[in-house]
Amino acid sequence: MDHPSQPSVRHFDHCPWLFADEATEEQRAAQREVQRAVGGDTGIGERCYVAESAAVFPDRLRLGDDSYIAAHAYVTGELDTGSHCTLNPFTTVRGDVVLGHGVRIGAHTSLLGFNHSMAPDRPVFRQPLTSRGIRVGDDVWIGSQVIVVDGVTIGDHCVIGAGAVVTRSLPAWSVAAGNPARVLRDRREVRGVGAAEVDPAAAAAAAAAAAAAAAAAVPGIRPDDGRTPTNRPAPDAAPGAAAGDPEPTPHDRRAVQVAGAAGAEATAGADVADLSGIRPGGDRTPTSRPAPDPRTATLAAFADTARDQAAGLLDRCWDGERYVDRPGAAPTVRAHCDAVEIADLLLGVAPEHLSTEEHIGRLSGLQDPKSGLVPEFGEPLPVADADGFIGEGAALYHVLCVGYALDLLGPGLPHPVRGVRDMTARQLVVRLDALPWRTGAWGAGAWVDSLATAAHWNLRHDDDGDNGHGTPESLFGWLLTRADPWTGMWGSPSAEEGRLQVVNGYYRLTRGSFAQFGLPVPYPERVVDAVLDHARDARHFGSGRENACNVLDVAHPLWLCIQQLGRGADGYRSGEIDDWAERQLATVLPRWQDGRGFGFGPGAAGPGPEPGLQGTEMWLAIVWYLADLLGRSGELGYRPRGIHRPEPARQGIAGLS
């Protein structure tokens, strides 16, 4: 029984920061029993507290020193924390979640490191679960009633305002709020003082001092509790001792908690959890972090610059009525869609020249209700072939770009693409057999991309999940039986162009089919071999010859295949892939032109080297894929959600998944 003058267990459950200094020996013994009773693979550090009223049912739990789980928290799945982490009352943490050091999570906040798919082929309760996990850096304060969804990375030193819904990754030092959460400013910007007035050297010195404090508070596991230790060494000094700070008194701890001061006891350092190195499917235990990598700093700085200049480069391509790819060019449907993609990627909103409803109205109004096709401005509706679908022209790509722009804005295409919906399996096979696989594999792959994307949109319009005459099933059956087992691809190289047509066609084909529908590609090792061989072709990848299509059409297939083959040192040809991605990043990032964005690149293909919307949209996605190949995409704080999204737009096809 608690002594009348002592706080009760119920008191500690709601104010666990008091436990280390105010609990009786009897209460400490009872708390050790509570910790031993936690199931799963569990390791709990020194001076931790787990509330009796919390529902803690982990598959794996690593709770760093001086951390606590407060009253009525709900914890399942796999949770790894550094030292000085707090899950306040009624917090929910589920799925695969990794927290750095000094993370404060406010009451009633949810970190949901898993998700359901929601394809229309089965009821929601029978949908498979997916998990990309949540990664939170060091010295982070997440306010009350925040929701963080699966796949998000929150960088070091971030502060997230109460009630925010975090749907995409945030760069280090962000102050973010809103639904969906938006970056409001950088924490290093002193209020009332412009960014240029902040002394970078002073900020670096402050961060280094905080690092020294954190290094002294590296968590370990009590040697006598029988639990599996983490890979962190035991502390050799009291928290804050390395920085000359006194041990906080109970009064100080209470004041810190009431004020909600994130990172008051520990912040990021040179020897704390490295979240950037954790990759899907890899070891979830944070590893020891060496000195900051200047390459990741370059990625973060690039992304910050792009975000700061996004509104200006969109203004540059707005002619007062419609969007143009670059000043002086004619307005195009694709330019409008590229503007929507760039604004969503960097700003999380629709371009400000029109309201969201006006964007939706304009793009939806372009689709012909009868055919479901979208012609170019000023051009007649394309005439369908005998099988009901078109064979070439801008309207083929509009199936992709208008569909995904409307998907980002909310409603999606208002009408099905009827030529694809009504096409019979026999008609589809005849068309596929007739495509120019030997002489024009890029065009053949682009046609498949448009057809498969139209089938994807059509499935949304068919409430019973029946897509006409089974177009997706027939398509995948043809593709799986026609893939070359020596290359994993479709089509043949030529003496004039090498593998250019084949690899570029492979990207377009698999983007719309296997990647979009979440299905594994055939012969992934052979694809990697063929793509890396192509990437050495100086005709297309010599100095100054890389355009957006050619680089994307290598980066995406490599990324797609390593999702199946595995990452890391043991991954298939991982060293060569990493080297190629590093070289491309080093080449691409300096090509950003302030206020103008990226040019598509040299050569006859595409709009050319002048910076514009198409080049900017494509290179932003390429930079993400290159960074993700290296395990560093979290530094960018953005993730493609449109045409170049890494996640499938739907999970599988009945009978194939």
Side-chain angles (χ1 to χ4, degrees), residues 215-229:
V218 181
I221 301 299
R222 289 191 299 274
D224 60 346
D225 67 359
R227 295 182 173 87
T228 303

Side-chain angles (χ1 to χ4, degrees), residues 48-215:
C48 288
Y49 186 87
V50 178
E52 286 189 20
S53 58
V56 184
F57 307 116
D59 297 321
R60 169 190 165 89
L61 174 65
R62 293 294 183 270
L63 196 62
D65 290 349
D66 301 289
S67 298
Y68 60 72
I69 300 174
H72 306 291
Y74 180 30
V75 179
T76 66
E78 301 191 2
L79 172 63
D80 252 290
T81 87
S83 62
H84 296 278
C85 289
T86 63
L87 278 61
N88 275 296
F90 298 97
T91 298
T92 295
V93 179
R94 304 191 65 196
D96 175 8
V97 177
V98 175
L99 309 179
H101 294 273
V103 177
R104 294 289 188 265
I105 301 176
H108 297 275
T109 283
S110 296
L111 276 62
L112 306 176
F114 73 103
N115 209 340
H116 280 277
S117 58
M118 54 180 179
D121 60 341
R122 69 192 78 178
V124 169
F125 77 94
R126 295 190 183 279
Q127 295 286 342
L129 293 179
T130 61
S131 178
R132 291 180 286 130
I134 293 171
R135 302 294 183 263
V136 179
D138 305 313
D139 179 34
V140 172
W141 175 16
I142 302 176
S144 295
Q145 296 185 323
V146 171
I147 297 174
V148 182
V149 302
D150 188 35
V152 164
T153 294
I154 298 173
D156 295 345
H157 316 297
C158 285
V159 173
I160 301 174
V165 179
V166 186
T167 60
R168 60 185 60 195
S169 297
L170 299 173
W173 295 103
S174 297
V175 178
N179 179 6
R182 305 281 187 267
V183 176
L184 304 179
R185 65 182 180 89
D186 188 300
R187 273 184 64 196
R188 292 165 292 189
E189 296 175 6
V190 180
R191 288 189 180 278
V193 181
E197 299 175 61
V198 178
D199 182 357

Side-chain angles (χ1 to χ4, degrees), residues 166-319:
V166 186
T167 60
R168 60 185 60 195
S169 297
L170 299 173
W173 295 103
S174 297
V175 178
N179 179 6
R182 305 281 187 267
V183 176
L184 304 179
R185 65 182 180 89
D186 188 300
R187 273 184 64 196
R188 292 165 292 189
E189 296 175 6
V190 180
R191 288 189 180 278
V193 181
E197 299 175 61
V198 178
D199 182 357
V218 181
I221 301 299
R222 289 191 299 274
D224 60 346
D225 67 359
R227 295 182 173 87
T228 303
T230 67
N231 62 350
R232 306 179 180 106
D236 56 7
D245 295 329
E247 177 70 9
T249 65
H251 175 78
D252 292 333
R253 287 199 182 97
R254 188 192 307 270
V256 166
Q257 186 66 28
V258 171
E265 296 165 299
T267 53
D271 192 25
V272 294
D274 180 2
L275 302 182
S276 65
I278 298 174
R279 301 183 178 184
D283 182 14
R284 293 179 174 86
T285 304
T287 57
S288 177
R289 177 189 292 170
D293 188 336
R295 298 170 301 179
T296 58
T298 300
L299 283 172
F302 160 76
D304 288 343
T305 298
R307 271 186 290 272
D308 290 343
Q309 298 180 11
L313 68 88
L314 291 173
D315 285 341
R316 175 177 178 264
C317 297
W318 171 253
D319 70 1

Side-chain angles (χ1 to χ4, degrees), residues 260-562:
E265 296 165 299
T267 53
D271 192 25
V272 294
D274 180 2
L275 302 182
S276 65
I278 298 174
R279 301 183 178 184
D283 182 14
R284 293 179 174 86
T285 304
T287 57
S288 177
R289 177 189 292 170
D293 188 336
R295 298 170 301 179
T296 58
T298 300
L299 283 172
F302 160 76
D304 288 343
T305 298
R307 271 186 290 272
D308 290 343
Q309 298 180 11
L313 68 88
L314 291 173
D315 285 341
R316 175 177 178 264
C317 297
W318 171 253
D319 70 1
E321 180 61 28
R322 291 186 290 188
Y323 291 97
V324 298
D325 180 70
R326 56 203 180 280
T332 62
V333 174
R334 176 168 184 163
H336 192 159
C337 299
D338 286 336
V340 171
E341 293 249 12
I342 292 168
D344 179 85
L345 190 70
L346 296 178
L347 304 174
V349 296
E352 63 182 9
H353 307 98
L354 302 169
S355 69
T356 299
E357 292 72 21
E358 288 172 322
H359 282 291
I360 293 171
R362 285 197 181 191
L363 291 172
S364 297
L366 297 174
Q367 189 185 28
D368 174 55
K370 183 176 180 181
S371 67
L373 298 175
V374 177
E376 186 56 88
F377 292 140
E379 295 184 5
L381 190 71
V383 177
D385 295 334
D387 55 21
F389 196 43
I390 55 175
E392 59 184 4
L396 272 179
Y397 194 78
H398 293 168
V399 173
L400 280 65
C401 68
V402 176
Y404 271 105
L406 284 169
D407 196 50
L408 292 172
L409 293 166
L413 284 172
H415 310 290
V417 182
R418 298 185 184 274
V420 173
R421 189 183 67 176
D422 297 340
M423 186 181 294
T424 66
R426 176 60 183 165
Q427 288 173 323
L428 175 59
V429 169
V430 169
R431 173 69 77 106
L432 289 169
D433 286 340
L435 289 174
W437 297 106
R438 290 188 176 276
T439 58
W442 180 89
W447 187 88
V448 171
D449 189 3
S450 295
L451 175 119
T453 303
H456 162 57
W457 302 132
N458 288 351
L459 283 167
R460 293 188 175 183
H461 289 278
D462 296 327
D463 293 337
D464 59 0
D466 177 24
N467 183 245
H469 299 278
T471 297
E473 293 86 346
S474 301
L475 172 65
F476 282 105
W478 191 94
L479 292 174
L480 288 169
T481 56
R482 302 306 199 281
D484 183 348
W486 294 103
T487 65
M489 297 187 173
W490 299 265
S492 304
S494 68
E496 296 76 21
E497 295 183 297
R499 295 186 186 273
L500 180 66
Q501 288 273 336
V502 179
V503 172
N504 289 12
Y506 179 88
Y507 160 69
R508 286 295 304 273
L509 183 152
T510 55
R511 190 222 69 85
S513 56
F514 294 93
Q516 189 165 228
F517 284 82
L519 295 172
V521 297
Y523 314 114
E525 294 94 341
R526 303 292 75 78
V527 172
V528 171
D529 293 341
V531 169
L532 288 175
D533 178 69
H534 168 62
R536 290 191 291 268
D537 191 331
R539 289 173 293 182
H540 315 300
F541 293 91
S543 178
R545 297 185 180 183
E546 307 93 340
N547 65 42
C549 270
N550 293 350
V551 178
L552 176 63
D553 297 356
V554 169
H556 187 275
L558 289 176
W559 184 91
L560 187 62
C561 289
I562 68 170

